[in-house]
Amino acid sequence: GAVVSQHPSWVICKSGTSVKIECRSLDFQATTMFWYRQFPKQSLMLMATSNEGSKATYEQGVEKDKFLINHASLTLSTLTVTSAHPEDSSFYICSAYSGISYNSPLHFGNGTRLTVT
Amino acid sequence: GESVGLHLPTLSVQEGDNSIINCAYSNSASDYFIWYKQESGKGPQFIIDIRSNMDKRQGQRVTVLLNKTVKHLSLQIAATQPGDSAVYFCAESTSGSRLTFGEGTQLTVNP
């Protein structure tokens, strides 16, 4: 089945530094990938839609200059949390459609636990 | 805005029993629904999906029921096992749009 790989699985960084998270589709090409954030005991909140070869589309309230998204190829999207602060500590999850239609399952990576100290 | 919600935040069942997890959605234009299972510290795992032109779909030990009249979705798990313990999310979308997730139900299976 379709596999989405996310790296790293966890990261601890100091306040003010930047962290890059990678999301790869391993056995399919993904023109669109999605980045979610999940706080403890809460649901997934969509942050942005990452489009291969073009700018990402951010959800309302998500700072595009703080959460930089790059989708340089059909199998890789990256999320960079710039100047991280403790309130950015969360579980970040990427996903991609395995099919060409939105009416096909969305597959998720295993998430990245970010802790900002 | 439109959202998908769940009736119960937690559900506790005995091993071997059947589990039913419910979900209410409010967007009548939604035409695609998915159930995901999320174990602690992991990303959501696809369980089963259903399109709005169907009212029932079965998988291995799981069945999804869709009632468009009352905008209700349910996930039935047969012979629930300890490995089924997780948080279950329903999600909905309208053709060409992004997924909207419900709040999640924590299923606990007691041995």
Side-chain angles (χ1 to χ4, degrees):
Chain A
V3 178
V4 175
S5 175
Q6 201 170 330
H7 178 80
S9 57
W10 61 270
V11 58
I12 301 172
C13 71
K14 293 185 176 181
S15 185
T17 62
S18 296
V19 174
K20 179 184 284 188
I21 303 170
E22 293 186 349
C23 180
R24 296 181 184 272
S25 56
L26 296 185
D27 55 359
F28 64 98
Q29 294 184 331
T31 56
T32 303
M33 291 184 175
F34 303 87
W35 287 96
Y36 293 81
R37 180 167 52 184
Q38 185 179 33
F39 292 106
K41 306 294 185 183
Q42 294 188 22
S43 187
L44 284 74
M45 297 297 293
L46 181 65
M47 299 175 66
T49 301
S50 172
N51 303 298
E52 188 267 335
S54 64
K55 291 183 178 180
T57 303
Y58 290 82
E59 295 298 302
Q60 189 173 7
V62 178
E63 299 175 58
K64 63 179 181 180
D65 294 330
K66 180 170 184 61
F67 299 99
L68 300 179
I69 292 174
N70 183 277
H71 195 154
S73 76
L74 287 171
T75 59
L76 174 64
S77 175
T78 61
L79 169 68
T80 301
V81 182
T82 63
S83 187
H85 289 94
E87 57 266 31
D88 298 324
S89 298
S90 188
F91 194 48
Y92 293 86
I93 312 172
C94 71
S95 66
Y97 284 106
S98 59
I100 61 174
S101 165
Y102 285 104
N103 279 351
S104 60
L106 189 62
H107 294 274
F108 287 82
N110 264 334
T112 297
R113 175 75 59 193
L114 171 62
T115 302
V116 184
T117 61
Chain B
E2 300 287 2
S3 65
V4 179
L6 292 168
H7 293 309
L8 296 173
T10 62
L11 176 65
S12 184
V13 300
Q14 290 298 123
E15 181 178 359
D17 288 351
N18 296 333
S19 302
I20 300 176
I21 301 172
N22 296 303
C23 179
Y25 65 95
S26 56
N27 186 355
S28 57
S30 295
D31 58 6
Y32 181 54
F33 304 87
I34 310 176
W35 280 100
Y36 287 96
K37 172 187 180 183
Q38 186 179 28
E39 297 175 288
S40 180
K42 295 184 178 180
Q45 176 186 358
F46 171 84
I47 300 174
I48 192 168
D49 59 358
I50 188 168
R51 290 171 174 71
S52 59
N53 61 350
M54 304 172 67
D55 53 21
K56 180 179 180 179
R57 191 171 187 216
Q58 289 184 297
Q60 188 176 17
R61 282 203 305 120
V62 295
T63 300
V64 55
L65 298 177
L66 175 62
N67 186 329
K68 295 181 289 295
T69 302
V70 295
K71 300 192 192 71
H72 184 267
L73 191 70
S74 69
L75 176 70
Q76 300 178 4
I77 304 174
T80 315
Q81 303 168 0
D84 295 327
S85 293
V87 177
Y88 289 80
F89 293 97
C90 66
E92 58 89 16
S93 74
T94 307
S95 296
S97 73
R98 63 191 189 279
L99 281 179
T100 299
F101 281 82
E103 295 177 350
T105 294
Q106 173 71 60
L107 174 65
T108 301
V109 182
N110 302 309

